[in-house]
Amino acid sequence: MHKLITILIMFPALVCAQKKEFDRNELIKGVPPADFFKPLPNARWLSETQLALVEMKAGKPQITVIDAATGKAVDLEQAERPVAATRSVMVKDNDLFLKTPAGLTQLTKDSLEEKNPFFSPDSQYIAYTKANNLYTWNLRTGKETQLTTDGTTTLLNGYATWVYWEEIFGRRTQFRAFWWSPDSKKIAYMRFDESKTPMFPLYSSEGQHGFLEETRYPKSGDPNPTARIGFVSPEGGATTWADFDENEEQYFGWPEWLSDGSGLMVQWINRGNDHLKLYNVSPVNGAKKQLYEETQKTWINIDEAENRLTLLEETGEMLLISDKTGWNHLYLYSLDGQLKNAVTSGSYTVTGVIGIDTRKRVVYFQARGRENSARFDLYRVDLNGKNLKRLTFGNYTHGLIIASPDYRYFATTYSNLNTPPQMAVIDQNGKIVYQAGSGEGDAFHTYERAKTELLRVKSDDGLFELPMVITYPTKMETGKRYPVLVSIYGGPDAGRVFDQWNWTPTRQLYAEEGLIQVALDHRASGHFGKEGLNYLHRNLGYWEITDYSTMVRHLIKQGIADPERIGITGFSYGGYMSCYALTYASDLFTHGMAGGSVTDWKYYDSAYTERFMDTPQENPEGYKSSSVLTYVPQYKGMLQIVHGTMDDNVHLQNSIQLIHDLQAANKEFEMMIYPNGRHGWGGSQGIHFNNLKTKFIYKYLIRQPVPEGLLK
């Protein structure tokens, strides 16, 4: 009797513990099961304590406002009301329009296209560019003023050259190269002269005769665009030029105005990328005062470097980020350039400043690697470098941090490899005051997901524990070897291995098809600070593929990877690594998919390539050893080469040169071009590209027919 009762009690528990398999047809369609995931709410601080959470339910937005001080919901009638923007500016049909609650008002009416319209801080002006000249529109008088007059196809005022947009300012700036002073009395702008930079033609086959798109693109060692920094009144008049020699081999980073408009903080770096200076430039006479100087034996990053500097003008101080010690850290300086103290130190990487409480003398920042190099966390530390404390919690990556206006509370979105994104609100001591959302649907825990874990593999030289995220086949058999697909990007400080959620129906499907899926990071991927990055100096390609090979060999030694089916895939720098793997490392990698690939660094742009490689004239052996073309005789296996014909970033020239050499060596490969495609493509071409990769994976790695319905 007692035994029968025991069995009856245990059996329901076993049934409950058993998890369901995914519906294969749903995976093929790319659809997760119903109620498997839930979207997180959008979060926005309304005040120092009130956080609005917006969720879509039944197709309608539902707003919940919580008070972080109490951890309780607030009646919507009592919630703070943020000031809504009453007007905005937009470009429509190549003209400027002012959008207000009353509707659209057309401002400009001409045949030229206005670009990057930007309100002045006092909202009385709009600055913009057209035909490579800088203009303003006075909203009080309805008058347009042309501030520069010498713009041409090669002389650009307030509009960035391609190489600045791509490699220094960043794509999100949309080529804007002008900055309003806080008092709206001046506009700082950059003037670029591309006349000596070689023109690279991009061919379009459209129309009966096709056409050429002429771009000014400096390849490694080519003449760069020259640049000047000027200051001009929004009402026009003469430009005051900053005291720099425009003909010097140099780059300028994204600048920042002092809050009183008395100076513009300008980052300067030499073309060799190893000598950085920070200047305070006067808009009155263009005089510059040096505040900071740094040199390194390898390189210093200036790309998208507005994150380098945080001004604390109310206390006459500034925070600088530098990796000069081998790790990215914060340093406190006076505004006149005197070092006060290091704020952070150690073998971890500060990734950005979230905010500074100047009254309490506390800085809140995000960093990776203090707990785990594959995770990001929020920390606080006194500006004197004392009382460092981790504020976020658990074994998670805390990716998106949204601070309240006074930095008393923080909304954090977090996950790990086995936990979908969650959202919580914490206070300035790290206490969780409100659980704001979970990405786990009610059915999430009822399904058997493919096992995914983060591993570390010791590098061949024993210096690094290299990180790898691996998703195993769902029904692995002991002693059986499985095909491997390696997904990479590569390159300096461009890792892909993080302890964060990355489940997709396709990943699950491939796991059920018996495919081992891995993401690998090398020693210079960011996990090991600038100490690791420095290995790539004048030597791109070698250490990345060396470390990737070490990790793949580890899988083979474990008896789970099939050495005859080791695939690698990537785009852009990842395409370069895939090509390099199928040539330089062809004894290990058997199949590759390479999209938009660099094949020889002399074909890529000056600012990016020379930062790491110096010029071809300075480093001929490095360029030779890093070139895919050097190792074409070693090529074997099967490589799929894909490129857009009008790629203005990595030119089709790269793939054409590789194809030429492969043909000359009588090598077999696959190729697909996308007419008029840029550096990536969507629409029908994007669908075709995804199908192309799917068919390659099934043909060469899984060795089965593509399931019906998987191709779009």
Side-chain angles (χ1 to χ4, degrees), residues 20-22 27 36 447-452 471-474 503-514 517:
K20 297 183 291 186
E21 293 185 357
F22 289 92
L27 296 178
F36 190 67
Y447 285 89
E448 187 66 48
R449 302 185 314 276
K451 180 183 177 183
T452 300
T471 298
Y472 297 95
T474 52
W503 186 94
T504 65
T506 300
R507 179 177 292 273
Q508 180 72 30
L509 176 64
Y510 283 161
E512 294 188 3
E513 300 284 35
Q517 301 162 79

Side-chain angles (χ1 to χ4, degrees), residues 289-307:
K289 178 184 178 183
Q290 182 177 313
L291 304 179
Y292 176 78
E293 184 174 21
E294 178 182 329
T295 60
Q296 292 195 33
K297 292 182 179 180
T298 55
W299 73 84
I300 305 169
N301 278 334
I302 196 172
D303 56 316
E304 306 182 29
E306 68 271 25
N307 296 321

Side-chain angles (χ1 to χ4, degrees), residues 67-105:
D67 188 330
T70 63
K72 297 180 180 179
V74 176
D75 188 296
L76 289 180
E77 295 299 322
Q78 305 299 317
E80 298 283 345
R81 300 295 178 183
V83 177
T86 58
R87 59 182 182 173
S88 59
V89 62
M90 61 183 291
V91 177
K92 180 183 178 183
D93 298 326
N94 292 343
D95 280 310
L96 288 186
F97 286 78
L98 185 68
K99 185 178 182 181
T100 68
L104 287 179
T105 301

Side-chain angles (χ1 to χ4, degrees), residues 506-555:
T506 300
R507 179 177 292 273
Q508 180 72 30
L509 176 64
Y510 283 161
E512 294 188 3
E513 300 284 35
L515 183 65
I516 296 174
Q517 301 162 79
V518 294
L520 309 178
D521 274 353
H522 52 84
R523 66 188 62 201
S525 58
H527 289 265
F528 309 102
K530 188 64 185 302
E531 291 179 0
L533 287 168
N534 286 338
Y535 277 80
L536 299 194
H537 187 226
R538 295 168 65 93
N539 193 24
L540 293 179
Y542 172 77
W543 285 109
E544 299 103 299
I545 206 66
T546 296
D547 289 343
Y548 291 157
S549 298
T550 297
M551 289 184 274
V552 170
R553 289 194 181 98
H554 170 80
L555 298 178

